[in-house]
Amino acid sequence: MATKTAPINMRVEPSVRSIIDAAANLLKVDRTVFIQTAALREAHEIIANQRDFLLEDKAFAAFEEALDAPAEVNEGMVDLLSRKSPWE
């Protein structure tokens, strides 16, 4: 069974297209493959940077200590979450 594809259309300045085409030609791929590969690589990096992070040992110990500490009660949140919803 064939995989469906979804179009992504974009307009760029001719100079941008020329640079993209030159880079794609150097890698011996077409423009679509080049743009897909570059965009996917960037997307993965952005997602990883939001999810994964590294800490030095001292900073990691402080991070773990903060996670293990009991949660502080926020009276404003307690009040808000105990109220009846406007639609109820």
Side-chain angles (χ1 to χ4, degrees):
M1 183 159 136
T3 303
K4 292 185 178 183
T5 61
I8 296 176
N9 299 309
M10 56 195 266
R11 295 194 176 278
V12 297
E13 296 289 328
S15 60
V16 172
R17 181 177 169 170
S18 294
I19 292 169
I20 290 170
D21 287 347
N25 287 334
L26 287 170
L27 295 177
K28 297 182 177 19
V29 297
D30 64 30
R31 183 185 312 122
T32 299
V33 170
F34 180 83
I35 292 171
Q36 281 181 332
T37 303
L40 191 57
R41 183 182 327 107
E42 183 72 9
H44 282 294
E45 185 174 330
I46 289 169
I47 291 168
N49 286 339
Q50 295 297 313
R51 185 185 59 199
D52 302 332
F53 56 93
L54 301 174
L55 296 172
E56 302 272 335
D57 290 342
K58 187 174 179 180
F60 184 70
F63 176 69
E64 279 191 314
E65 185 177 320
L67 288 177
D68 292 339
E72 294 180 17
V73 176
N74 181 318
E75 293 301 329
M77 288 300 292
V78 170
D79 177 54
L80 177 65
L81 295 174
S82 64
R83 291 186 212 159
K84 192 172 188 176
S85 300
W87 55 86
E88 293 182 315

